Amino acid sequence: MLTPELQARLAAPLTLGPFKIHSRVFQSPLSGVTDLVFRRLVRRYAPTSMLYTEMVSATEIHHLRNLPQMMRVDPHEQPISIQLFDCRPDFMGEAARKAVAEGADTIDINMGCPVNKITKRGGGSSLLRQPEVAEAIVKAVVAAVDVPVTVKTRLGWDDDEITIVEFAQRLAGAGAQMLTIHGRTRQQGYTGAARWDWIGRVKQAVTIPVIANGDIFSVDAAVDCLTQTGADGVMCSRGTLGYPFLVGEIDHFLKTGERLPEPSVVTRLTWAKEHLIGLWDYKGQRGIYQARKHLAWYCKGFVGAGVWRDRLAQIETVEGGLALLEEAIATTIDPR
Ligand SMILES: Cc1cc2nc3c(=O)[nH]c(=O)nc-3n(C[C@H](O)[C@H](O)[C@H](O)COP(=O)(O)O)c2cc1C
């Protein structure tokens, strides 16, 4: 329940030094998802929320002549954070400077990614097992840029190594100005329930803002999580796949106590069309292949959605995708 106490606690902007964020609801970095096209859709409903790029490798940035497309931000999409990962403090500092030149309001460091390809090279969640390196990375990035530096991480490596409380204190001591805690271990991946109780313990242990992440799939989940953890905000992730409305819906509820009406099937499929056109314009044929999964995600909660999902997951052209979506709009029955 959104109590007056909770609403009052969250009413003030979040302050990271001189930088202010006017929303307590964040859109997480999602590799393969939170590109410029997706973020533009999220932004319509969530004008003041912090959005994140996909994670970008500092080693890649070091070796490339031009910035990777994943790092590109719109001139007017603030507040925006560019998320970086790596195990080399020097590369991270260099990448952070380039990210700020591109327009990043904050630099977020990924210390949570569980994917083997990343952890084997010493990045992502493997830093939970190398706290000295994690600390050195934060210090290098803080020294390199004059925007806030934040970290997104997990509870620990596995159930026998839940190290987040000491880890969080160490990162804060190194100069991190905000932490996002995904309430799962590396070993859990994305399975099992997020353990918000641990996020509450981190909140008690540090003085910098703590953002809770994991299983925020609805307005009610966000309110429960904020109440249980005492966190300063929530970050939405898988709940936004095919549903770029979620961050704005939660933000609106926390600010006003009113629920926005759920978007109709037609609205969702119309946004899917825009998403497809955006990906085609921005990435060409690669964008069409990337659009397949997005379009399938938009098809949920109506009669025959499964059939549309299968058909949309095979599109080859923008015209083919648009024709299917138009047919779906013309023929589906909204169950509400
Ligand atoms: C497809 C996908 C891509 C992800 N990419 C990133 C990423 O680039 N950076 C990051 O910090 N976390 C990434 N994550 C983790 C999410 O941001 C989030 O921490 C996790 O999904 C837990 O939240 P949820 O239970 O609400 O989904 C990714 C997760 C998924 C499912």
Side-chain angles (χ1 to χ4, degrees):
M1 203 177 62
L2 182 62
T3 59
E5 293 75 32
L6 180 61
Q7 216 174 356
R9 175 161 76 74
L10 302 175
L14 207 51
T15 49
L16 311 186
F19 183 68
K20 288 188 173 30
I21 307 170
H22 295 271
S23 166
R24 301 305 187 112
V25 194
F26 295 61
Q27 166 68 55
S28 81
L30 292 167
S31 193
V33 176
T34 56
D35 56 20
L36 199 69
V37 179
F38 181 80
R39 295 199 306 271
R40 281 182 193 147
L41 294 173
V42 174
R43 182 61 86 204
R44 281 191 199 158
Y45 255 49
T48 57
S49 284
M50 179 63 100
L51 312 186
Y52 290 74
T53 64
E54 304 165 78
M55 61 178 181
V56 194
S57 153
T59 300
E60 192 183 326
I61 294 167
H62 174 76
H63 290 298
L64 286 178
R65 184 188 293 266
N66 298 316
L67 284 189
Q69 191 184 36
M70 276 191 294
M71 237 174 125
R72 293 286 178 196
V73 304
D74 267 344
H76 303 296
E77 70 168 319
Q78 282 73 23
I80 177 79
S81 182
I82 293 185
Q83 193 191 51
L84 303 172
F85 74 94
D86 217 285
C87 61
R88 283 205 37 181
D90 54 343
F91 283 2
M92 285 293 277
E94 177 194 339
R97 275 193 295 273
K98 291 182 181 168
V100 171
E102 172 62 17
D105 293 306
T106 69
I107 301 295
D108 191 63
I109 306 175
N110 181 318
M111 298 194 186
C113 180
V115 175
N116 276 335
K117 204 173 76 181
I118 309 287
T119 56
K120 280 204 178 115
R121 284 193 268 147
S125 59
S126 73
L127 289 164
L128 282 155
R129 287 188 138 176
Q130 311 166 74
E132 316 76 35
V133 181
E135 189 175 340
I137 289 174
V138 172
K139 284 185 174 160
V141 177
V142 168
V145 294
D146 54 9
V147 300
V149 175
T150 64
V151 177
K152 180 166 175 289
T153 186
R154 289 182 177 241
L155 301 185
W157 188 255
D158 59 23
D159 277 1
D160 297 327
E161 266 181 59
I162 297 197
T163 48
I164 188 58
V165 172
E166 310 89 82
F167 193 68
Q169 287 169 330
R170 193 163 190 150
L171 299 177
Q177 293 204 46
M178 183 176 80
L179 300 175
T180 302
I181 313 294
H182 173 192
R184 293 186 174 87
T185 62
R186 188 263 175 182
Q187 192 186 38
Q188 271 183 285
Y190 300 98
T191 62
R195 289 177 269 177
W196 294 340
D197 52 330
W198 277 103
I199 301 176
R201 279 173 225 172
V202 176
K203 173 65 193 159
Q204 295 293 319
V206 295
T207 53
I208 57 173
V210 171
I211 306 302
N213 173 239
D215 294 348
I216 308 294
F217 288 104
S218 65
V219 167
D220 292 331
V223 171
D224 287 349
C225 178
L226 287 163
T227 307
Q228 287 174 35
T229 58
D232 299 282
V234 284
M235 179 183 274
C236 305
S237 303
R238 284 172 297 171
T240 68
L241 301 179
Y243 200 79
F245 314 93
L246 183 62
V247 175
E249 282 179 354
I250 299 172
D251 186 47
H252 185 81
F253 185 73
L254 294 181
K255 283 177 176 153
T256 65
E258 284 165 14
R259 284 173 201 266
L260 288 172
E262 194 190 319
S264 65
V265 173
V266 171
T267 302
R268 272 159 36 206
L269 295 177
T270 305
W271 282 47
K273 277 171 59 184
E274 290 186 53
H275 202 155
L276 171 60
I277 294 167
L279 284 171
W280 168 245
D281 285 347
Y282 193 51
K283 301 184 182 178
Q285 191 59 30
R286 192 166 53 92
I288 300 297
Y289 297 135
Q290 288 183 4
R292 291 171 169 180
K293 63 177 185 245
H294 288 287
L295 302 186
W297 286 329
Y298 280 98
C299 291
K300 272 199 287 233
F302 55 88
V303 181
V307 176
W308 292 113
R309 273 201 297 276
D310 291 346
R311 295 178 72 187
L312 288 163
Q314 297 174 45
I315 60 163
E316 293 287 347
T317 61
V318 67
E319 294 80 12
L322 290 175
L324 282 178
L325 288 166
E326 270 150 31
E327 200 184 328
I329 289 171
T331 56
T332 49
I333 299 160
D334 198 329
R336 293 174 314 144

